[in-house]
Amino acid sequence: MSDITNFPLASAIVVMCGAPCSGKGTQCQRIARATGAIHISTGDLFRDAVQRGTELGVRVKEHLERNEFVPDNVVTEFVMERLLHPDIATKGCLLDGFPRTADQAKTLLRTHGGRLTPLLLDVPEAVLPIRAAGREINKNTGEIYHTDFLPPPPNTPTFHRDGDRNKAAFKKRIAVFRDQLRRTLPLLPNVKRIAGAQEPEEVSKAVMRALADASAGAAAAAAAIAAAGASEGGGDSEKGPGTCVVCCDRPANFLVTPCGHQCGCEECLCKVKESSGCCPICRVRIASLQKVFRVAGPDDSPPSATGAVSRASTTDVAFHMDVDDLIDFGSMPMQERMDEEWEEWPAFDASAEAGEEEEKITLLVSPEKDVPANGASSVNVCVRIAVPEVKAREPVDIACVIDTSGSMANKATREDEQGRVVEDGLSILDIVKHAVKTVIHTLGDVDRLSLIGFSDNAFVALPQTLMDAEGKELAVCALENMQADDCTNIWAGVHAGMESLRDDGTPRRKALLLLTDGMPNIKPPKGEVEELKTYFEQNP
């Protein structure tokens, strides 16, 4: 351990990620001894709380006895409170077993983003059951040993955790970890990957090298804050791709359709498509994979603002020319066909002078292949939409009115390719939250958003708020706090949403989005339609 001593972590929070039995506990113990940092193991702390019969212990006992993870809110509340203690601020800490979920990661980023140094101990899954079966723990100190690879000293009192030798329970823990890692890893900033199958001493040296390389000052803080802001919205367009969530090594330069998650490299996503067939992030069925190309950046020239669109700028957007040729125009080369269609496409009239007349959105529909003279029963077509360059648009006010009644907690179902009704573990409210997050991150700094929830009655989760970086963070936080409960009073929600959009004298477009799963079971005396008419008469 001489190579890793006298290396203070100061106020840094090291997030030690890894599968069960990947060596998180062992490495945290070794690094804590070498640096003086505080080792926070949620599992050990919860087990100690159960043994001492504390209030926390009573809350988590039943989950630990079933070898289940403790609920998010309990874990988050406990860890957030512990991170406020003075010893963490002066010595730093090693988080062992937290965060395990996306919600935990988001909370950690919002409160301590500038202090995080995430590490991932990468151990082949085939090794994990072997480690689990031989794991021994010192009853007095919590030191971790292995019967074959790192035996305890003679006469050391040790015990085995029941879940380690229960093959079914351990297999479930691995599956849960794998699923949660896909959701948490993209949220954490600058994750350092450590080969965890080496000898413990070598792993410790690799961990310390990673900590030494990680900038613990202003640069790390800025990167963490930027990652926290990008965690929900896909990040800045000038930022390069993140890391593949499967191999945690290569750039994530491919996205999944139809969900749109840019989450992996080509090799890994192809394997995922062939195996589970589901997006690693949201578990939506993969229709296809699309390579993502960087088309603009801080050093690139800005787009033309002349109003006319050149032929070169039109063809530049066709990233996969060989694929686009076949889909759009059969075997005819792209440029040749575009030259042929040019005069028939007014929006692309290069001879028109800028500002001479207002440009309009135009539509071109072309058959995928030649249609016989006698017609055809059906034919695939390619639809191409030309949207003129817009210098600025009018600011908008949006009110998202969200059903939070009890039925929204039901699992969201869909039909698979065989016509079977299946579900992916998401509730209807989870789907709605995902949709609203898309709205949030589509809006610009001058746009405003309000969030209204309704069950028995309506409540304002977020008043009309500008969607700058701070406003978007507030909106996402308010959205995540919505929980499903009680009955459905749609009119109360709609009325509260319209009230949040009441005209304040500024020329802004306004829209109300109603997101609900069904019919109301609480209705106004005159019915929704009559109430709506009355409202518009009173508020023209």
Side-chain angles (χ1 to χ4, degrees):
M1 293 287 288
S2 58
D3 293 38
I4 63 171
T5 55
N6 301 318
F7 188 94
L9 294 182
S11 62
I13 298 175
V14 179
V15 179
M16 192 70 74
C17 306
C21 293
S22 61
K24 299 189 301 296
T26 297
Q27 291 305 318
C28 284
Q29 289 171 354
R30 293 169 65 90
I31 304 304
R33 283 198 300 267
T35 64
I38 307 301
H39 176 199
I40 300 178
S41 167
T42 53
D44 288 345
L45 291 172
F46 286 146
R47 280 183 284 271
D48 178 65
V50 170
Q51 186 175 4
R52 292 187 291 112
T54 65
E55 179 184 353
L56 175 67
V58 173
R59 293 169 68 185
V60 304
K61 181 177 181 180
E62 59 182 89
H63 300 284
L64 296 179
E65 287 178 343
R66 293 199 298 263
N67 290 306
E68 296 177 346
F69 289 121
V70 179
D72 255 19
N73 61 321
V74 177
V75 180
T76 303
E77 175 187 339
F78 178 79
V79 174
M80 290 299 103
E81 190 277 333
R82 181 65 182 90
L83 291 178
L84 295 177
H85 288 201
D87 57 347
I88 303 296
T90 57
K91 298 180 179 180
C93 75
L94 299 119
L95 281 180
D96 173 5
F98 185 94
R100 277 195 172 106
T101 69
D103 285 341
Q104 291 175 1
K106 292 171 191 173
T107 300
L108 187 61
L109 281 166
R110 281 195 296 268
T111 55
H112 302 281
R115 301 166 59 191
L116 300 184
T117 302
L119 305 177
L120 173 64
L121 291 182
D122 188 11
V123 177
E125 284 194 9
V127 175
L128 300 175
I130 300 173
R131 287 189 174 186
R135 181 157 70 172
E136 297 185 43
I137 302 170
N138 189 314
K139 292 182 178 180
N140 300 323
T141 66
E143 191 80 11
I144 300 172
Y145 304 101
H146 189 279
T147 305
D148 300 319
F149 309 135
L150 188 64
N155 303 319
T156 301
T158 62
F159 70 96
H160 304 279
R161 291 177 186 161
D162 293 337
D164 287 348
R165 300 194 173 188
N166 182 326
K167 291 184 178 180
F170 190 76
K171 185 177 180 180
K172 177 182 176 182
R173 289 167 63 196
I174 294 295
V176 170
F177 163 78
R178 190 189 307 121
D179 186 58
Q180 291 176 343
L181 185 68
R182 295 188 183 110
R183 290 163 169 77
T184 56
L185 201 63
L187 304 180
L188 297 174
N190 305 318
V191 178
K192 304 289 183 180
R193 186 182 180 194
I194 307 294
Q198 309 173 77
E199 292 293 325
E201 178 72 23
E202 294 304 312
V203 176
S204 297
K205 292 177 181 179
V207 168
M208 295 308 298
R209 285 194 296 269
L211 294 178
D213 292 341
S215 175
I225 293 170
S231 65
E232 292 292 334
D236 193 311
S237 62
E238 295 178 3
K239 185 178 180 181
T243 303
C244 172
V245 302
V246 181
C247 67
C248 308
D249 187 20
R250 293 181 288 271
N253 55 1
F254 273 74
L255 63 77
V256 173
T257 60
C259 66
H261 282 118
Q262 183 180 341
C263 56
C265 62
E266 181 179 21
E267 180 181 350
C268 290
L269 288 182
C270 285
K271 290 179 180 177
V272 170
K273 185 181 179 184
E274 293 170 2
S275 54
S276 71
C278 296
C279 169
I281 302 295
C282 64
R283 314 305 295 160
V284 166
R285 179 67 60 178
I286 298 174
S288 63
L289 302 176
Q290 173 67 54
K291 187 170 184 179
V292 178
F293 291 80
R294 180 177 177 275
V295 296
D299 299 324
D300 295 321
S301 301
S304 170
T306 62
V309 182
S310 68
R311 298 185 186 191
S313 67
T314 305
T315 56
D316 284 346
V317 301
F319 304 130
H320 292 292
M321 296 297 290
D322 52 337
V323 177
D324 286 346
D325 288 350
L326 295 174
I327 293 177
D328 294 346
F329 304 112
S331 59
M332 185 179 290
M334 171 71 76
Q335 186 63 54
E336 181 181 339
R337 179 56 187 257
M338 292 190 73
D339 289 344
E340 190 172 295
E341 298 286 354
W342 195 268
E343 297 303 323
E344 301 174 17
W345 203 343
F348 286 1
D349 184 359
S351 65
E353 294 185 9
E356 191 170 295
E357 62 180 18
E358 182 183 359
E359 292 187 41
K360 300 178 179 179
I361 296 176
T362 58
L363 181 72
L364 176 67
V365 180
S366 303
E368 180 184 342
K369 56 185 178 181
D370 292 336
V371 180
N374 60 351
S377 58
S378 65
V379 62
N380 294 328
V381 298
C382 173
V383 179
R384 184 180 292 274
I385 302 172
V387 181
E389 193 173 51
V390 178
K391 296 179 182 178
R393 65 166 171 79
E394 186 178 335
V396 297
D397 289 348
I398 305 291
C400 289
V401 179
I402 302 170
D403 186 346
T404 58
S405 62
S407 60
M408 295 292 284
N410 293 337
K411 295 295 184 184
T413 59
R414 58 179 177 81
E415 279 191 3
D416 64 10
E417 291 82 356
Q418 287 75 42
R420 298 171 299 188
V421 177
V422 297
E423 53 92 7
D424 296 301
L426 298 174
S427 69
I428 300 173
L429 187 56
D430 289 333
I431 302 295
V432 167
K433 288 181 178 180
H434 185 80
V436 175
K437 287 176 186 176
T438 302
V439 173
I440 290 171
H441 293 288
T442 300
L443 299 177
D445 289 354
V446 296
D447 302 318
R448 298 187 300 201
L449 175 79
S450 59
L451 297 177
I452 312 296
F454 67 91
S455 51
D456 286 358
N457 295 293
F459 61 94
V460 179
L462 181 78
Q464 280 289 314
T465 303
L466 284 172
M467 287 294 99
D468 53 17
E470 183 179 0
K472 288 179 179 178
E473 184 175 352
L474 290 172
V476 170
C477 186
L479 181 67
E480 291 290 356
N481 287 333
M482 288 187 171
Q483 302 295 327
D485 193 22
D486 296 325
C487 301
T488 308
N489 188 344
I490 290 180
W491 171 246
V494 171
H495 182 268
M498 292 190 297
E499 283 294 290
S500 75
L501 292 170
R502 286 282 290 273
D503 192 5
D504 60 359
T506 57
R508 304 171 72 90
R509 294 179 180 272
K510 300 178 185 293
L512 185 148
L513 305 180
L514 175 62
L515 300 106
T516 179
D517 68 335
M519 300 296 292
N521 46 32
I522 298 178
K523 300 174 71 70
K526 295 190 296 183
E528 288 86 353
V529 175
E530 288 302 316
E531 290 288 353
L532 201 55
K533 289 179 180 178
T534 302
Y535 184 89
F536 285 140
E537 289 172 359
Q538 295 173 351
N539 303 279

